[in-house]
Amino acid sequence: MQDHNVTKGSSNMKRFSCKSFFSGILATSAFAAAVAAATPAHAAYPDRPIKLIVPWTAAGTVDMVGRALAEKLSDKLGQPVIVENKPGATGQIGSSAVARAEPDGYTLLLMSATVHTVSPNLKPNFPFDPIDGFTVISEVVSFPYVMVVSAESPYKTVADLVKAAKEKPNAISYGSFGPGSGPHLISELFALSTGTKLLHVPYKGAAPAIADVMGGQVTFFIDSLPSPLGQIKGGKLRALAVTTLERSPTVPDVPTMSETLPGFDAIAWLGVAAPPNTPPAIVDKLFKALGEISRDKAYGDRLQAVGLQPVVSKSPQEFRAWLLGQKQYWGDVVRKANIPMVE
């Protein structure tokens, strides 16, 4: 009888233990499910396609960079990165769309100097904060502007051009995309740096300006290197100088402007940003991927062939500080050259 009671008690204990065991499993599973439900969606980032907004038209230099970058980002992140062109208002429409997007890492922006460090100095009511209205991640491409003259021009060097401009004020003309454009500001920086007075001839784009320089109607044109590179290599334009502090590996024989005018520096760049308040974990993952892409030889060769240099910032924080410095730099040029605001 005693043995029977012991056996019965043991059986009850076993049933109790089993019940407790399975209850524990269910409770643990429920807890795990609750934790999973509470975990932010970006824990598995990315788990679906990403949009890279290019706020310029297709087929241009910025678009080409965007597509090359999207291809490499797709490889690094394991999800499609789809380029979406949103041109208009000198890049402001596409940028505004990203500034308003969900901060989940699935909408990115290809930033440019024009939108984020130049134009804000020329518009009294800019539609968004060009730097802190975004989560900036890294610079991805840099490239110089280049000063070109006709292949038949009598000016062989920057010094030749400066000499002629000093001898005949307002006789030396230059082309631009219009007031406030990159070519306009850099040409005015050149005038400030040399103490000369130049004649501004605005155009609606690079093609007509380049055509008039080749034809001798305009003395010189300063544009980003990829734009006139074909005519430089084809012998139709003479490159007098690039505007970065170091020579371009694409045209290594072309001197820098600073070799004649010490300290002269004007750089074109592209970068990547996300909407404001994007989580740090997502930013870190994207920053790491961009760093790896910048060291990809095939990608670098593809960009250098058209005058572009792949780069990466030291950190997102360093990129933000650099952007603030660039914005201030061009603001100073605008004020010193008395360039009027653009509505």
Side-chain angles (χ1 to χ4, degrees):
M1 189 72 170
Q2 185 178 7
D3 290 343
H4 175 73
N5 288 336
V6 169
T7 302
K8 183 177 179 181
S10 299
S11 177
N12 286 338
M13 289 178 67
K14 287 178 182 178
R15 284 198 297 272
F16 177 77
S17 298
C18 288
K19 182 178 179 181
S20 299
F21 176 71
F22 286 114
S23 296
I25 289 177
L26 290 172
T28 302
S29 299
F31 177 75
V35 169
T39 300
H42 64 259
Y45 177 83
D47 60 4
R48 54 189 167 89
I50 297 167
K51 284 193 302 185
L52 177 63
I53 303 297
V54 174
W56 305 95
T57 55
T61 299
V62 180
D63 180 67
M64 185 277 288
V65 172
R67 293 180 188 280
L69 187 64
E71 180 183 322
K72 291 297 180 181
L73 269 175
S74 297
D75 294 341
K76 297 295 180 185
L77 299 176
Q79 289 289 339
V81 178
I82 301 161
V83 171
E84 184 176 321
N85 297 92
K86 279 187 175 292
T90 320
Q92 293 172 40
I93 289 177
S95 299
S96 294
V98 176
R100 298 190 304 268
E102 287 294 319
D104 55 10
Y106 292 97
T107 303
L108 304 177
L109 172 68
L110 191 61
M111 307 172 72
S112 69
T114 300
V115 180
H116 297 272
T117 56
V118 176
S119 293
N121 293 298
L122 293 160
K123 293 182 180 291
N125 298 305
F126 207 66
F128 49 81
D129 187 308
I131 299 171
D132 289 336
F134 301 85
T135 299
V136 299
I137 300 172
S138 179
E139 184 183 5
V140 292
V141 167
S142 70
F143 48 106
Y145 289 84
V146 60
M147 174 184 275
V148 294
V149 296
S150 166
E152 306 302 320
S153 170
Y155 309 119
K156 303 294 195 299
T157 67
V158 171
D160 291 342
L161 197 60
V162 172
K163 183 174 181 292
K166 286 186 174 181
E167 289 174 350
K168 297 179 180 180
N170 292 313
I172 299 298
S173 57
Y174 69 88
S176 84
F177 304 155
S181 64
H184 178 215
L185 265 64
I186 298 169
S187 297
E188 287 300 314
L189 177 60
F190 174 72
L192 284 171
S193 301
T194 56
T196 55
K197 293 186 181 297
L198 307 171
L199 177 63
H200 179 205
V201 183
Y203 291 85
K204 291 184 177 180
I210 288 173
D212 276 4
V213 171
M214 289 192 296
Q217 287 85 9
V218 174
T219 310
F220 74 88
F221 182 45
I222 296 178
D223 195 11
S224 57
L225 179 58
S227 179
L229 185 59
Q231 288 88 347
I232 293 170
K233 289 186 173 181
K236 295 180 180 179
L237 289 173
R238 178 185 302 135
L240 299 188
V242 293
T243 62
T244 41
L245 294 174
E246 296 181 356
R247 293 193 181 198
S248 167
T250 306
V251 285
D253 294 334
V254 177
T256 68
M257 192 76 79
S258 62
E259 289 174 41
T260 302
L261 304 171
F264 192 103
D265 185 24
I267 189 169
W269 58 269
L270 299 172
V272 171
N277 302 314
T278 298
I282 291 177
V283 174
D284 289 345
K285 189 161 191 175
L286 289 167
F287 180 77
K288 181 181 178 182
L290 293 173
E292 292 172 355
I293 292 169
S294 73
R295 296 184 288 273
D296 184 288
K297 187 177 185 306
Y299 170 80
D301 289 346
R302 179 177 175 183
L303 266 59
Q304 287 184 7
V306 294
L308 308 169
Q309 185 70 26
V311 296
V312 68
S313 303
K314 292 180 181 178
S315 68
Q317 295 76 22
E318 186 268 346
F319 182 41
R320 176 182 176 276
W322 183 78
L323 289 173
L324 291 170
Q326 283 288 298
K327 183 172 176 286
Q328 179 65 47
Y329 180 83
W330 289 112
D332 290 343
V333 172
V334 167
R335 285 185 289 275
K336 291 176 181 177
N338 293 316
I339 296 172
M341 294 291 105
V342 178
E343 295 298 331

